Amino acid sequence: MTLFASKTQIVAELRADRLILAGGTYFNTSDITDDYLYSKLIAAEADAARRLRVLLEPTTVFAGEPTDAEITAVGTSPWIEEAAYDYEPELWNTEDWGYLVLRNKLVSKITSLEFVYPAPVAGSFLMPPSWIRLDKKAGHLRFVPGGSSMSVGAFSTMILSMMAGGRHVPQMIRVRYTAGMANAARDYPDLIDLIKKMAVLRIINDAFVPQSGSISADGLSQSFSADVDKFSSGVDSMLGTLRDSLQGVRCMVM
């Protein structure tokens, strides 16, 4: 899947603006095929998603390998799989209300959240949707039990038994959810513009454009210069600004 569903339309747009600005001086735009141009755009889109560390369209996230039936139910929509989340005893020992940080941001929907205790003492608890408090942009969850006394009792029994043992349980919390930009063109038009710039930069790099040069004919001369590194640095700066907006403050404690 891609943000640019219509190949014909986006290629025509690139030829009408970005290539006119970059081409002519640095390379012959007539030599660039539609397939080549579109492939550079798709590559730039994938590069942007990795560097921003965010899904660019609504994507179903499965906890572990999905079944054939689950994949069929998703249809043509994009999906990925990730490992389930580890259970830590500290999850309930503080005032965090079962604080869990999902691996993906811009979460639009929590389909299911299940605590699955491994064999031989197998057991599971499906979290009622009304208990889940979600910060959609950050992808942060908190659990606030309430409602049915039967559900609260079953949940308390499982959690108290794990807390009593003080054990870390790997991949016990299985979350299925939908994450990613709901409408990138509407909400992040700067991202669309940035992907186009990144696509053109890839074409320039493929053309091995020299930093400077000159053309002479019949006594006339024309010189040009191309500071590709500065163009690349500008793209990196714009990516960093957008990443800060999406990811928030990032720091590391050594």
Side-chain angles (χ1 to χ4, degrees):
M1 298 294 290
T2 171
L3 297 177
F4 309 100
S6 174
K7 173 182 175 180
T8 302
Q9 178 180 348
I10 189 59
V11 166
E13 289 178 4
L14 282 173
R15 288 193 181 281
D17 45 44
R18 296 302 191 281
L19 283 190
I20 288 180
L21 296 175
T25 301
Y26 305 140
F27 48 80
N28 189 349
T29 58
S30 62
D31 293 337
I32 298 177
T33 66
D34 288 353
D35 288 341
Y36 173 81
L37 184 54
Y38 189 67
S39 71
K40 292 303 174 184
L41 189 74
I42 298 302
E45 180 183 354
D47 186 21
R50 280 191 295 269
R51 294 167 70 177
L52 293 174
R53 301 198 310 277
V54 69
L55 300 167
L56 303 186
E57 55 185 325
T59 303
T60 299
V61 183
F62 291 102
E65 185 176 356
T67 64
D68 292 340
E70 288 176 325
I71 295 176
T72 300
V74 170
T76 58
S77 300
W79 61 271
I80 60 173
E81 61 179 89
E82 66 176 19
Y85 295 83
D86 294 349
Y87 169 80
E88 302 283 355
E90 294 79 12
L91 191 66
W92 309 106
N93 289 345
T94 67
E95 294 298 324
D96 286 339
W97 292 89
Y99 181 60
L100 180 66
V101 179
L102 297 176
R103 297 185 183 93
N104 293 283
K105 297 181 182 292
L106 304 180
V107 179
S108 57
K109 178 183 179 182
I110 302 294
T111 304
S112 64
L113 191 153
E114 188 175 14
F115 287 76
V116 181
Y117 200 80
V121 188
S124 64
F125 177 82
L126 184 63
M127 183 78 71
S130 60
W131 293 16
I132 300 173
R133 304 292 185 267
L134 170 64
D135 181 336
K136 292 185 176 181
K137 181 178 180 180
H140 294 179
L141 298 180
R142 283 183 170 84
F143 312 131
V144 184
S148 170
S149 59
M150 183 178 297
S151 296
V152 174
F155 181 69
S156 300
T157 300
M158 171 174 282
I159 296 303
L160 285 174
S161 64
M162 289 185 295
M163 287 180 63
R167 293 185 176 182
H168 168 101
V169 184
Q171 299 190 9
M172 177 181 175
I173 307 174
R174 300 180 182 178
V175 189
R176 177 176 171 180
Y177 59 100
T178 302
M181 295 180 177
N183 189 326
R186 178 195 65 200
D187 301 330
Y188 301 94
D190 50 338
L191 171 62
I192 304 300
D193 178 72
L194 186 53
I195 291 174
K196 292 179 179 179
K197 284 183 171 65
M198 294 170 68
V200 172
L201 179 58
R202 287 173 176 271
I203 296 173
I204 294 175
N205 286 332
D206 280 0
F208 296 102
V209 175
Q211 187 171 356
S212 62
S214 63
I215 301 174
S216 299
D218 297 330
L220 300 176
S221 64
Q222 179 183 8
S223 63
F224 68 89
S225 63
D227 197 338
V228 178
D229 288 340
K230 184 174 292 186
F231 184 18
S232 180
S233 296
V235 168
D236 291 342
S237 177
M238 287 182 280
L239 274 171
T241 300
L242 185 55
R243 183 171 55 246
D244 289 343
S245 174
L246 293 168
Q247 300 288 346
V249 176
R250 291 164 288 128
C251 65
M252 177 180 294
V253 178
M254 301 296 291

